[in-house]
Amino acid sequence: AQSVTQLDSQVPVFEEAPVELRCNYSSSVSVYLFWYVQYPNQGLQLLLKYLSGSTLVKGINGFEAEFNKSQTSFHLRKPSVHISDTAEYFCAVSDRSNTGKLIFGQGTTLQVKP
Amino acid sequence: NAGVMQNPRHLVRRRGQEARLRCSPMKGHSHVYWYRQLPEEGLKFMVYLQKENIIDESGMPKERFSAEFPKEGPSILRIQQVVRGDSAAYFCASSELAGVNEQFFGPGTRLTVL
């Protein structure tokens, strides 16, 4: 079984500052890793995903994440945030079975202040 | 190409009533996933369906909950005899293929049980 822990429930940051949202996972098998963003009253949108290959993954809206197998982490980063990045961010894993079901973390609320 | 559609967006039911949540996947997608988001929590996998088949229902409560994805028409998540603890946001996602393919999420149905 897999599990995902997002270490921070809320992250306040000023506009144009860098941000890191932390994600750790637990699994006895190899997994795929994802970050999703949820804007208020909307569904989830995929930011980026790690399947294999380079451990540094670049996504949409200037976000990137780095897969660290030894630390079982997949932290999300952005060098300079905008007000419009204010949203809920979810880290998720999927085992390499054919179902593709996602196991989500509890979510991190990113609050960008002017 | 329209995205994943869910209706209704908001549903209010009294305890003991039935709730029917509908999900129309993206055109060409034959794989549907249902997730539930309880207040202050992340999304929890409920069920994975392909056309006319339930593939994985390991996240479905044992009683009162059922899901279907008929050959024609939307996928339906049905909750019988709702209780207050069923109040949550229910999200549907669809994908073109199984496995690691990106899941596209709908806007969700927010169920409130009075």
Side-chain angles (χ1 to χ4, degrees), chain A residues 10-93:
Chain A
Q10 293 188 349
V11 173
V13 63
F14 286 105
E15 193 174 18
E16 297 184 7
V19 70
E20 178 180 83
L21 306 183
R22 296 180 292 170
C23 172
N24 286 88
Y25 70 93
S26 173
S27 178
S28 57
V29 299
S30 295
V31 295
Y32 301 123
L33 296 150
F34 305 81
W35 275 98
Y36 281 85
V37 60
Q38 183 183 29
Y39 298 103
N41 298 317
Q42 294 186 27
L44 278 69
Q45 180 182 6
L46 181 66
L47 276 177
L48 48 79
K49 60 185 177 185
Y50 172 78
L51 306 180
S52 64
S54 173
T55 56
L56 182 62
V57 180
K58 294 190 181 298
I60 62 171
N61 301 342
F63 284 93
E64 64 181 31
E66 185 156 18
F67 169 55
N68 188 317
K69 187 175 182 179
S70 62
Q71 297 186 2
T72 60
S73 67
F74 191 54
H75 300 332
L76 181 70
R77 302 187 185 98
K78 186 170 182 177
S80 176
V81 294
H82 303 287
I83 295 287
S84 60
D85 292 323
T86 295
E88 187 88 11
Y89 291 80
F90 292 98
C91 180
V93 303

Side-chain angles (χ1 to χ4, degrees), chain A residues 41 43 51 98-102, chain B residues 9 33 35 58 98-100 103 106:
Chain A
N41 298 317
L51 306 180
N98 289 330
T99 66
K101 68 183 181 186
L102 296 170
Chain B
R9 292 291 306 275
Y33 302 80
Y35 296 87
S58 58
V100 75
Q103 294 179 26

Side-chain angles (χ1 to χ4, degrees), chain B residues 2-95:
Chain B
V4 178
M5 300 175 67
Q6 290 188 249
N7 67 80
R9 292 291 306 275
H10 300 273
L11 182 61
V12 179
R13 285 288 178 265
R14 296 189 181 279
R15 283 179 295 170
Q17 292 184 318
E18 179 180 285
R20 281 182 178 245
L21 288 62
R22 294 174 182 76
C23 169
S24 296
M26 288 181 66
K27 187 176 181 180
H29 287 193
S30 59
H31 301 261
V32 166
Y33 302 80
W34 284 94
Y35 296 87
R36 177 167 63 174
Q37 184 178 30
L38 294 168
E40 308 301 323
E41 294 187 17
L43 282 75
K44 305 289 187 192
F45 168 78
M46 299 182 75
V47 62
Y48 161 49
L49 310 101
Q50 294 179 24
K51 282 287 188 180
E52 301 184 273
N53 290 302
I54 297 174
I55 307 302
D56 182 348
E57 56 181 346
S58 58
M60 287 279 270
K62 293 291 187 286
E63 299 177 344
R64 301 187 297 109
F65 284 72
S66 62
E68 62 178 12
F69 189 17
K71 185 176 180 180
E72 301 291 338
S75 175
I76 306 288
L77 180 66
R78 181 184 179 201
I79 311 172
Q80 295 178 291
Q81 300 176 330
V82 296
V83 300
R84 289 212 174 113
D86 296 333
S87 295
Y90 292 82
F91 290 95
C92 165
S94 74
S95 67

